[in-house]
Amino acid sequence: MERTLSIVKPDGVDKNLIGEIIKRFEGRGLKVIGLKMISMDKKEAEGFYAVHRGKPFFESLIVFMSSGPCVVMVLEGDGAISKARELMGATDPKKAETGTIRQQFASNIERNIVHGSDAPETAAYEIGYFFNSLEIFSA
């Protein structure tokens, strides 16, 4: 069983898409084993997205991610990372496949509704950033 982190970003929360996104993940056989709503301040967002520090979009990403509440969740299942990323679609909604979360709901490449881990090592780091072991309930 593989685990991944997904975030419903402030624009997804604002558009009332939390349930829709969870429904899509569960519909593909992913189980939500950790879930909470948070509000990151700029320092927390900078820490989470530290890998992007120095990139042109870093500052606007931090401002956006600290602009409102997010829902962070741990998903578990066979091929969880690839399944979640397939459901989310390409980072740029203009390039996302029809029917994906980003293609259907995202405004642009920055306000793209969801985040998902891209590799097992990234998932482990990202899950640990938001959750402790008492907050994750494996089947």
Side-chain angles (χ1 to χ4, degrees), residues 2-4 6 8 18-19 21-36 71-77 80 131 135-139:
E2 186 174 63
R3 291 180 176 176
T4 190
S6 183
V8 180
I18 300 165
I21 291 167
I22 292 172
K23 178 182 173 183
R24 289 182 186 211
F25 288 142
E26 290 179 329
R28 283 293 308 274
L30 298 174
K31 183 174 180 70
V32 177
I33 61 169
L35 177 75
K36 58 185 166 181
V71 172
V72 292
M73 67 187 96
V74 181
L75 303 171
E76 184 177 71
F131 292 89
E135 298 172 311
I136 299 173
F137 303 91
S138 192

PDB file of all heavy atoms in Angstrom, residues 2-4 6 8 18-19 21-36 71-77 80 131 135-139:
ATOM      1  N   GLU A   2       0.561   2.167  -0.864  1.00  0.00           N
ATOM      2  CA  GLU A   2       1.317   3.407  -0.983  1.00  0.00           C
ATOM      3  C   GLU A   2       0.510   4.546  -0.390  1.00  0.00           C
ATOM      4  O   GLU A   2      -0.721   4.523  -0.396  1.00  0.00           O
ATOM      5  CB  GLU A   2       1.578   3.661  -2.473  1.00  0.00           C
ATOM      6  CG  GLU A   2       2.482   4.834  -2.768  1.00  0.00           C
ATOM      7  CD  GLU A   2       2.798   4.915  -4.249  1.00  0.00           C
ATOM      8  OE1 GLU A   2       1.863   5.121  -5.060  1.00  0.00           O
ATOM      9  OE2 GLU A   2       3.984   4.763  -4.597  1.00  0.00           O
ATOM     10  N   ARG A   3       1.228   5.536   0.127  1.00  0.00           N
ATOM     11  CA  ARG A   3       0.577   6.726   0.678  1.00  0.00           C
ATOM     12  C   ARG A   3       1.022   7.966  -0.084  1.00  0.00           C
ATOM     13  O   ARG A   3       2.143   8.032  -0.584  1.00  0.00           O
ATOM     14  CB  ARG A   3       0.943   6.903   2.151  1.00  0.00           C
ATOM     15  CG  ARG A   3       0.354   5.853   3.037  1.00  0.00           C
ATOM     16  CD  ARG A   3       0.738   6.076   4.478  1.00  0.00           C
ATOM     17  NE  ARG A   3       0.086   5.091   5.332  1.00  0.00           N
ATOM     18  CZ  ARG A   3       0.294   4.991   6.620  1.00  0.00           C
ATOM     19  NH1 ARG A   3       1.129   5.806   7.238  1.00  0.00           N
ATOM     20  NH2 ARG A   3      -0.340   4.068   7.330  1.00  0.00           N
ATOM     21  N   THR A   4       0.123   8.937  -0.118  1.00  0.00           N
ATOM     22  CA  THR A   4       0.436  10.216  -0.740  1.00  0.00           C
ATOM     23  C   THR A   4      -0.287  11.318   0.019  1.00  0.00           C
ATOM     24  O   THR A   4      -1.248  11.062   0.727  1.00  0.00           O
ATOM     25  CB  THR A   4       0.058  10.228  -2.239  1.00  0.00           C
ATOM     26  OG1 THR A   4       0.584  11.409  -2.847  1.00  0.00           O
ATOM     27  CG2 THR A   4      -1.436  10.155  -2.450  1.00  0.00           C
ATOM     28  N   SER A   6      -2.365  14.896  -0.340  1.00  0.00           N
ATOM     29  CA  SER A   6      -3.084  15.782  -1.249  1.00  0.00           C
ATOM     30  C   SER A   6      -3.563  16.985  -0.454  1.00  0.00           C
ATOM     31  O   SER A   6      -3.888  16.863   0.729  1.00  0.00           O
ATOM     32  CB  SER A   6      -4.276  15.073  -1.896  1.00  0.00           C
ATOM     33  OG  SER A   6      -4.905  15.938  -2.823  1.00  0.00           O
ATOM     34  N   VAL A   8      -6.313  20.221  -0.793  1.00  0.00           N
ATOM     35  CA  VAL A   8      -7.299  21.046  -1.477  1.00  0.00           C
ATOM     36  C   VAL A   8      -6.883  22.470  -1.133  1.00  0.00           C
ATOM     37  O   VAL A   8      -6.930  22.878   0.031  1.00  0.00           O
ATOM     38  CB  VAL A   8      -8.745  20.753  -1.014  1.00  0.00           C
ATOM     39  CG1 VAL A   8      -9.722  21.650  -1.775  1.00  0.00           C
ATOM     40  CG2 VAL A   8      -9.093  19.284  -1.208  1.00  0.00           C
ATOM     41  N   ILE A  18     -14.296  20.478  -1.679  1.00  0.00           N
ATOM     42  CA  ILE A  18     -13.673  19.489  -0.792  1.00  0.00           C
ATOM     43  C   ILE A  18     -14.315  18.110  -0.988  1.00  0.00           C
ATOM     44  O   ILE A  18     -13.626  17.125  -1.238  1.00  0.00           O
ATOM     45  CB  ILE A  18     -13.766  19.923   0.683  1.00  0.00           C
ATOM     46  CG1 ILE A  18     -13.051  21.256   0.898  1.00  0.00           C
ATOM     47  CG2 ILE A  18     -13.197  18.844   1.599  1.00  0.00           C
ATOM     48  CD1 ILE A  18     -13.392  21.951   2.216  1.00  0.00           C
ATOM     49  N   GLY A  19     -15.628  18.048  -0.861  1.00  0.00           N
ATOM     50  CA  GLY A  19     -16.328  16.771  -0.989  1.00  0.00           C
ATOM     51  C   GLY A  19     -16.175  16.152  -2.367  1.00  0.00           C
ATOM     52  O   GLY A  19     -15.984  14.931  -2.500  1.00  0.00           O
ATOM     53  N   ILE A  21     -13.700  16.499  -4.471  1.00  0.00           N
ATOM     54  CA  ILE A  21     -12.333  15.990  -4.638  1.00  0.00           C
ATOM     55  C   ILE A  21     -12.156  14.684  -3.869  1.00  0.00           C
ATOM     56  O   ILE A  21     -11.625  13.707  -4.405  1.00  0.00           O
ATOM     57  CB  ILE A  21     -11.314  17.072  -4.232  1.00  0.00           C
ATOM     58  CG1 ILE A  21     -11.365  18.214  -5.265  1.00  0.00           C
ATOM     59  CG2 ILE A  21      -9.913  16.480  -4.116  1.00  0.00           C
ATOM     60  CD1 ILE A  21     -10.658  19.477  -4.844  1.00  0.00           C
ATOM     61  N   ILE A  22     -12.627  14.638  -2.639  1.00  0.00           N
ATOM     62  CA  ILE A  22     -12.531  13.398  -1.856  1.00  0.00           C
ATOM     63  C   ILE A  22     -13.305  12.278  -2.558  1.00  0.00           C
ATOM     64  O   ILE A  22     -12.825  11.146  -2.659  1.00  0.00           O
ATOM     65  CB  ILE A  22     -13.029  13.618  -0.414  1.00  0.00           C
ATOM     66  CG1 ILE A  22     -12.059  14.543   0.339  1.00  0.00           C
ATOM     67  CG2 ILE A  22     -13.198  12.282   0.313  1.00  0.00           C
ATOM     68  CD1 ILE A  22     -12.548  14.986   1.703  1.00  0.00           C
ATOM     69  N   LYS A  23     -14.478  12.582  -3.071  1.00  0.00           N
ATOM     70  CA  LYS A  23     -15.301  11.594  -3.779  1.00  0.00           C
ATOM     71  C   LYS A  23     -14.530  11.001  -4.962  1.00  0.00           C
ATOM     72  O   LYS A  23     -14.579   9.795  -5.200  1.00  0.00           O
ATOM     73  CB  LYS A  23     -16.593  12.252  -4.251  1.00  0.00           C
ATOM     74  CG  LYS A  23     -17.508  11.341  -5.035  1.00  0.00           C
ATOM     75  CD  LYS A  23     -18.740  12.114  -5.488  1.00  0.00           C
ATOM     76  CE  LYS A  23     -19.597  11.275  -6.414  1.00  0.00           C
ATOM     77  NZ  LYS A  23     -20.754  12.042  -6.911  1.00  0.00           N
ATOM     78  N   ARG A  24     -13.828  11.839  -5.693  1.00  0.00           N
ATOM     79  CA  ARG A  24     -13.064  11.353  -6.849  1.00  0.00           C
ATOM     80  C   ARG A  24     -11.929  10.440  -6.410  1.00  0.00           C
ATOM     81  O   ARG A  24     -11.676   9.404  -7.033  1.00  0.00           O
ATOM     82  CB  ARG A  24     -12.552  12.516  -7.679  1.00  0.00           C
ATOM     83  CG  ARG A  24     -13.677  13.218  -8.411  1.00  0.00           C
ATOM     84  CD  ARG A  24     -13.150  14.331  -9.268  1.00  0.00           C
ATOM     85  NE  ARG A  24     -14.257  15.076  -9.860  1.00  0.00           N
ATOM     86  CZ  ARG A  24     -14.198  15.672 -11.020  1.00  0.00           C
ATOM     87  NH1 ARG A  24     -13.081  15.640 -11.734  1.00  0.00           N
ATOM     88  NH2 ARG A  24     -15.229  16.344 -11.492  1.00  0.00           N
ATOM     89  N   PHE A  25     -11.215  10.825  -5.358  1.00  0.00           N
ATOM     90  CA  PHE A  25     -10.134   9.970  -4.853  1.00  0.00           C
ATOM     91  C   PHE A  25     -10.695   8.628  -4.380  1.00  0.00           C
ATOM     92  O   PHE A  25     -10.174   7.567  -4.736  1.00  0.00           O
ATOM     93  CB  PHE A  25      -9.376  10.654  -3.712  1.00  0.00           C
ATOM     94  CG  PHE A  25      -8.494  11.798  -4.156  1.00  0.00           C
ATOM     95  CD1 PHE A  25      -8.388  12.938  -3.370  1.00  0.00           C
ATOM     96  CD2 PHE A  25      -7.751  11.750  -5.320  1.00  0.00           C
ATOM     97  CE1 PHE A  25      -7.572  13.991  -3.743  1.00  0.00           C
ATOM     98  CE2 PHE A  25      -6.930  12.799  -5.714  1.00  0.00           C
ATOM     99  CZ  PHE A  25      -6.842  13.927  -4.916  1.00  0.00           C
ATOM    100  N   GLU A  26     -11.760   8.670  -3.599  1.00  0.00           N
ATOM    101  CA  GLU A  26     -12.349   7.434  -3.090  1.00  0.00           C
ATOM    102  C   GLU A  26     -12.906   6.580  -4.224  1.00  0.00           C
ATOM    103  O   GLU A  26     -12.825   5.345  -4.178  1.00  0.00           O
ATOM    104  CB  GLU A  26     -13.437   7.740  -2.061  1.00  0.00           C
ATOM    105  CG  GLU A  26     -12.874   8.294  -0.766  1.00  0.00           C
ATOM    106  CD  GLU A  26     -13.930   8.635   0.265  1.00  0.00           C
ATOM    107  OE1 GLU A  26     -15.062   9.011  -0.126  1.00  0.00           O
ATOM    108  OE2 GLU A  26     -13.628   8.546   1.470  1.00  0.00           O
ATOM    109  N   GLY A  27     -13.434   7.222  -5.237  1.00  0.00           N
ATOM    110  CA  GLY A  27     -13.965   6.500  -6.392  1.00  0.00           C
ATOM    111  C   GLY A  27     -12.919   5.731  -7.166  1.00  0.00           C
ATOM    112  O   GLY A  27     -13.233   4.792  -7.906  1.00  0.00           O
ATOM    113  N   ARG A  28     -11.679   6.104  -7.011  1.00  0.00           N
ATOM    114  CA  ARG A  28     -10.563   5.401  -7.667  1.00  0.00           C
ATOM    115  C   ARG A  28      -9.870   4.418  -6.727  1.00  0.00           C
ATOM    116  O   ARG A  28      -8.782   3.948  -6.990  1.00  0.00           O
ATOM    117  CB  ARG A  28      -9.532   6.406  -8.193  1.00  0.00           C
ATOM    118  CG  ARG A  28      -9.927   7.111  -9.469  1.00  0.00           C
ATOM    119  CD  ARG A  28      -9.999   6.195 -10.707  1.00  0.00           C
ATOM    120  NE  ARG A  28      -8.813   5.386 -10.935  1.00  0.00           N
ATOM    121  CZ  ARG A  28      -7.739   5.770 -11.607  1.00  0.00           C
ATOM    122  NH1 ARG A  28      -7.680   6.972 -12.135  1.00  0.00           N
ATOM    123  NH2 ARG A  28      -6.719   4.958 -11.753  1.00  0.00           N
ATOM    124  N   GLY A  29     -10.517   4.143  -5.603  1.00  0.00           N
ATOM    125  CA  GLY A  29      -9.981   3.144  -4.685  1.00  0.00           C
ATOM    126  C   GLY A  29      -8.991   3.664  -3.662  1.00  0.00           C
ATOM    127  O   GLY A  29      -8.348   2.877  -2.965  1.00  0.00           O
ATOM    128  N   LEU A  30      -8.865   4.985  -3.549  1.00  0.00           N
ATOM    129  CA  LEU A  30      -7.974   5.549  -2.543  1.00  0.00           C
ATOM    130  C   LEU A  30      -8.755   5.774  -1.252  1.00  0.00           C
ATOM    131  O   LEU A  30      -9.888   6.228  -1.276  1.00  0.00           O
ATOM    132  CB  LEU A  30      -7.363   6.862  -3.038  1.00  0.00           C
ATOM    133  CG  LEU A  30      -6.495   6.724  -4.297  1.00  0.00           C
ATOM    134  CD1 LEU A  30      -6.058   8.099  -4.781  1.00  0.00           C
ATOM    135  CD2 LEU A  30      -5.300   5.826  -4.039  1.00  0.00           C
ATOM    136  N   LYS A  31      -8.131   5.445  -0.148  1.00  0.00           N
ATOM    137  CA  LYS A  31      -8.767   5.586   1.154  1.00  0.00           C
ATOM    138  C   LYS A  31      -8.171   6.799   1.865  1.00  0.00           C
ATOM    139  O   LYS A  31      -6.955   6.958   1.914  1.00  0.00           O
ATOM    140  CB  LYS A  31      -8.540   4.322   1.977  1.00  0.00           C
ATOM    141  CG  LYS A  31      -9.229   4.328   3.322  1.00  0.00           C
ATOM    142  CD  LYS A  31      -9.073   2.980   3.987  1.00  0.00           C
ATOM    143  CE  LYS A  31      -9.737   2.945   5.330  1.00  0.00           C
ATOM    144  NZ  LYS A  31     -11.171   2.976   5.305  1.00  0.00           N
ATOM    145  N   VAL A  32      -9.019   7.654   2.404  1.00  0.00           N
ATOM    146  CA  VAL A  32      -8.562   8.797   3.195  1.00  0.00           C
ATOM    147  C   VAL A  32      -8.236   8.272   4.584  1.00  0.00           C
ATOM    148  O   VAL A  32      -9.121   7.790   5.295  1.00  0.00           O
ATOM    149  CB  VAL A  32      -9.638   9.902   3.269  1.00  0.00           C
ATOM    150  CG1 VAL A  32      -9.149  11.045   4.155  1.00  0.00           C
ATOM    151  CG2 VAL A  32      -9.998  10.410   1.886  1.00  0.00           C
ATOM    152  N   ILE A  33      -6.952   8.352   4.970  1.00  0.00           N
ATOM    153  CA  ILE A  33      -6.539   7.838   6.277  1.00  0.00           C
ATOM    154  C   ILE A  33      -6.066   8.943   7.218  1.00  0.00           C
ATOM    155  O   ILE A  33      -5.684   8.678   8.347  1.00  0.00           O
ATOM    156  CB  ILE A  33      -5.467   6.726   6.148  1.00  0.00           C
ATOM    157  CG1 ILE A  33      -4.195   7.252   5.467  1.00  0.00           C
ATOM    158  CG2 ILE A  33      -6.044   5.530   5.383  1.00  0.00           C
ATOM    159  CD1 ILE A  33      -3.030   6.293   5.554  1.00  0.00           C
ATOM    160  N   GLY A  34      -6.100  10.171   6.757  1.00  0.00           N
ATOM    161  CA  GLY A  34      -5.786  11.349   7.562  1.00  0.00           C
ATOM    162  C   GLY A  34      -6.403  12.551   6.877  1.00  0.00           C
ATOM    163  O   GLY A  34      -6.353  12.653   5.657  1.00  0.00           O
ATOM    164  N   LEU A  35      -7.026  13.440   7.672  1.00  0.00           N
ATOM    165  CA  LEU A  35      -7.736  14.569   7.075  1.00  0.00           C
ATOM    166  C   LEU A  35      -7.869  15.691   8.086  1.00  0.00           C
ATOM    167  O   LEU A  35      -8.240  15.447   9.238  1.00  0.00           O
ATOM    168  CB  LEU A  35      -9.131  14.113   6.634  1.00  0.00           C
ATOM    169  CG  LEU A  35     -10.076  15.152   6.040  1.00  0.00           C
ATOM    170  CD1 LEU A  35      -9.649  15.492   4.620  1.00  0.00           C
ATOM    171  CD2 LEU A  35     -11.502  14.623   6.044  1.00  0.00           C
ATOM    172  N   LYS A  36      -7.552  16.923   7.654  1.00  0.00           N
ATOM    173  CA  LYS A  36      -7.801  18.081   8.511  1.00  0.00           C
ATOM    174  C   LYS A  36      -7.767  19.363   7.691  1.00  0.00           C
ATOM    175  O   LYS A  36      -7.153  19.425   6.629  1.00  0.00           O
ATOM    176  CB  LYS A  36      -6.821  18.157   9.672  1.00  0.00           C
ATOM    177  CG  LYS A  36      -5.352  18.230   9.317  1.00  0.00           C
ATOM    178  CD  LYS A  36      -4.514  18.180  10.595  1.00  0.00           C
ATOM    179  CE  LYS A  36      -3.058  17.903  10.305  1.00  0.00           C
ATOM    180  NZ  LYS A  36      -2.269  17.844  11.545  1.00  0.00           N
ATOM    181  N   VAL A  71      -7.391  22.027   2.912  1.00  0.00           N
ATOM    182  CA  VAL A  71      -7.659  20.721   3.495  1.00  0.00           C
ATOM    183  C   VAL A  71      -6.515  19.805   3.077  1.00  0.00           C
ATOM    184  O   VAL A  71      -6.252  19.640   1.888  1.00  0.00           O
ATOM    185  CB  VAL A  71      -9.013  20.150   3.024  1.00  0.00           C
ATOM    186  CG1 VAL A  71      -9.192  18.708   3.487  1.00  0.00           C
ATOM    187  CG2 VAL A  71     -10.152  21.017   3.547  1.00  0.00           C
ATOM    188  N   VAL A  72      -5.823  19.273   4.083  1.00  0.00           N
ATOM    189  CA  VAL A  72      -4.725  18.346   3.815  1.00  0.00           C
ATOM    190  C   VAL A  72      -5.212  16.941   4.130  1.00  0.00           C
ATOM    191  O   VAL A  72      -5.962  16.739   5.095  1.00  0.00           O
ATOM    192  CB  VAL A  72      -3.449  18.693   4.615  1.00  0.00           C
ATOM    193  CG1 VAL A  72      -2.852  20.000   4.139  1.00  0.00           C
ATOM    194  CG2 VAL A  72      -3.713  18.754   6.109  1.00  0.00           C
ATOM    195  N   MET A  73      -4.817  15.994   3.294  1.00  0.00           N
ATOM    196  CA  MET A  73      -5.248  14.617   3.526  1.00  0.00           C
ATOM    197  C   MET A  73      -4.174  13.628   3.116  1.00  0.00           C
ATOM    198  O   MET A  73      -3.388  13.887   2.203  1.00  0.00           O
ATOM    199  CB  MET A  73      -6.554  14.329   2.787  1.00  0.00           C
ATOM    200  CG  MET A  73      -6.466  14.335   1.289  1.00  0.00           C
ATOM    201  SD  MET A  73      -8.081  14.185   0.476  1.00  0.00           S
ATOM    202  CE  MET A  73      -8.429  15.911   0.183  1.00  0.00           C
ATOM    203  N   VAL A  74      -4.165  12.521   3.816  1.00  0.00           N
ATOM    204  CA  VAL A  74      -3.297  11.402   3.476  1.00  0.00           C
ATOM    205  C   VAL A  74      -4.179  10.366   2.799  1.00  0.00           C
ATOM    206  O   VAL A  74      -5.213   9.973   3.336  1.00  0.00           O
ATOM    207  CB  VAL A  74      -2.631  10.796   4.731  1.00  0.00           C
ATOM    208  CG1 VAL A  74      -1.703   9.645   4.334  1.00  0.00           C
ATOM    209  CG2 VAL A  74      -1.868  11.858   5.518  1.00  0.00           C
ATOM    210  N   LEU A  75      -3.759   9.959   1.618  1.00  0.00           N
ATOM    211  CA  LEU A  75      -4.476   8.942   0.856  1.00  0.00           C
ATOM    212  C   LEU A  75      -3.637   7.679   0.823  1.00  0.00           C
ATOM    213  O   LEU A  75      -2.403   7.746   0.733  1.00  0.00           O
ATOM    214  CB  LEU A  75      -4.714   9.432  -0.578  1.00  0.00           C
ATOM    215  CG  LEU A  75      -5.461  10.753  -0.734  1.00  0.00           C
ATOM    216  CD1 LEU A  75      -5.414  11.216  -2.182  1.00  0.00           C
ATOM    217  CD2 LEU A  75      -6.889  10.618  -0.243  1.00  0.00           C
ATOM    218  N   GLU A  76      -4.301   6.542   0.865  1.00  0.00           N
ATOM    219  CA  GLU A  76      -3.604   5.265   0.838  1.00  0.00           C
ATOM    220  C   GLU A  76      -4.274   4.340  -0.165  1.00  0.00           C
ATOM    221  O   GLU A  76      -5.499   4.329  -0.285  1.00  0.00           O
ATOM    222  CB  GLU A  76      -3.630   4.628   2.232  1.00  0.00           C
ATOM    223  CG  GLU A  76      -2.835   3.335   2.341  1.00  0.00           C
ATOM    224  CD  GLU A  76      -2.836   2.791   3.753  1.00  0.00           C
ATOM    225  OE1 GLU A  76      -3.895   2.301   4.206  1.00  0.00           O
ATOM    226  OE2 GLU A  76      -1.780   2.877   4.403  1.00  0.00           O
ATOM    227  N   GLY A  77      -3.456   3.575  -0.872  1.00  0.00           N
ATOM    228  CA  GLY A  77      -3.977   2.601  -1.818  1.00  0.00           C
ATOM    229  C   GLY A  77      -2.893   2.145  -2.770  1.00  0.00           C
ATOM    230  O   GLY A  77      -1.786   2.703  -2.789  1.00  0.00           O
ATOM    231  N   ALA A  80      -1.125   4.850  -5.108  1.00  0.00           N
ATOM    232  CA  ALA A  80      -1.797   6.071  -4.651  1.00  0.00           C
ATOM    233  C   ALA A  80      -1.250   7.338  -5.311  1.00  0.00           C
ATOM    234  O   ALA A  80      -2.027   8.215  -5.704  1.00  0.00           O
ATOM    235  CB  ALA A  80      -1.710   6.191  -3.129  1.00  0.00           C
ATOM    236  N   PHE A 131       1.185  15.885   9.387  1.00  0.00           N
ATOM    237  CA  PHE A 131       0.550  14.869  10.226  1.00  0.00           C
ATOM    238  C   PHE A 131       1.565  14.175  11.128  1.00  0.00           C
ATOM    239  O   PHE A 131       2.687  13.904  10.704  1.00  0.00           O
ATOM    240  CB  PHE A 131      -0.124  13.795   9.361  1.00  0.00           C
ATOM    241  CG  PHE A 131      -1.314  14.283   8.587  1.00  0.00           C
ATOM    242  CD1 PHE A 131      -1.163  14.818   7.318  1.00  0.00           C
ATOM    243  CD2 PHE A 131      -2.591  14.200   9.125  1.00  0.00           C
ATOM    244  CE1 PHE A 131      -2.262  15.266   6.586  1.00  0.00           C
ATOM    245  CE2 PHE A 131      -3.702  14.646   8.412  1.00  0.00           C
ATOM    246  CZ  PHE A 131      -3.537  15.185   7.146  1.00  0.00           C
ATOM    247  N   GLU A 135      -2.411  10.861  13.946  1.00  0.00           N
ATOM    248  CA  GLU A 135      -3.449  11.454  13.100  1.00  0.00           C
ATOM    249  C   GLU A 135      -3.697  10.664  11.816  1.00  0.00           C
ATOM    250  O   GLU A 135      -4.480  11.073  10.976  1.00  0.00           O
ATOM    251  CB  GLU A 135      -3.060  12.891  12.735  1.00  0.00           C
ATOM    252  CG  GLU A 135      -2.942  13.791  13.942  1.00  0.00           C
ATOM    253  CD  GLU A 135      -2.373  15.157  13.602  1.00  0.00           C
ATOM    254  OE1 GLU A 135      -1.328  15.223  12.922  1.00  0.00           O
ATOM    255  OE2 GLU A 135      -2.992  16.153  14.018  1.00  0.00           O
ATOM    256  N   ILE A 136      -3.007   9.533  11.664  1.00  0.00           N
ATOM    257  CA  ILE A 136      -3.140   8.708  10.461  1.00  0.00           C
ATOM    258  C   ILE A 136      -3.684   7.352  10.882  1.00  0.00           C
ATOM    259  O   ILE A 136      -3.157   6.715  11.793  1.00  0.00           O
ATOM    260  CB  ILE A 136      -1.790   8.573   9.739  1.00  0.00           C
ATOM    261  CG1 ILE A 136      -1.284   9.952   9.310  1.00  0.00           C
ATOM    262  CG2 ILE A 136      -1.911   7.627   8.552  1.00  0.00           C
ATOM    263  CD1 ILE A 136       0.099   9.958   8.742  1.00  0.00           C
ATOM    264  N   PHE A 137      -4.742   6.918  10.208  1.00  0.00           N
ATOM    265  CA  PHE A 137      -5.438   5.691  10.576  1.00  0.00           C
ATOM    266  C   PHE A 137      -5.473   4.745   9.386  1.00  0.00           C
ATOM    267  O   PHE A 137      -6.331   4.863   8.521  1.00  0.00           O
ATOM    268  CB  PHE A 137      -6.874   6.026  11.025  1.00  0.00           C
ATOM    269  CG  PHE A 137      -6.884   7.003  12.158  1.00  0.00           C
ATOM    270  CD1 PHE A 137      -6.951   8.376  11.901  1.00  0.00           C
ATOM    271  CD2 PHE A 137      -6.796   6.578  13.463  1.00  0.00           C
ATOM    272  CE1 PHE A 137      -6.945   9.299  12.937  1.00  0.00           C
ATOM    273  CE2 PHE A 137      -6.787   7.491  14.513  1.00  0.00           C
ATOM    274  CZ  PHE A 137      -6.869   8.847  14.256  1.00  0.00           C
ATOM    275  N   SER A 138      -4.514   3.850   9.331  1.00  0.00           N
ATOM    276  CA  SER A 138      -4.438   2.911   8.219  1.00  0.00           C
ATOM    277  C   SER A 138      -5.464   1.795   8.386  1.00  0.00           C
ATOM    278  O   SER A 138      -5.813   1.420   9.509  1.00  0.00           O
ATOM    279  CB  SER A 138      -3.039   2.326   8.147  1.00  0.00           C
ATOM    280  OG  SER A 138      -2.859   1.635   6.946  1.00  0.00           O
ATOM    281  N   ALA A 139      -5.928   1.282   7.268  1.00  0.00           N
ATOM    282  CA  ALA A 139      -6.963   0.223   7.291  1.00  0.00           C
ATOM    283  C   ALA A 139      -6.409  -1.081   7.837  1.00  0.00           C
ATOM    284  O   ALA A 139      -5.291  -1.392   7.766  1.00  0.00           O
ATOM    285  CB  ALA A 139      -7.488   0.013   5.878  1.00  0.00           C
TER     286      ALA A 139
END
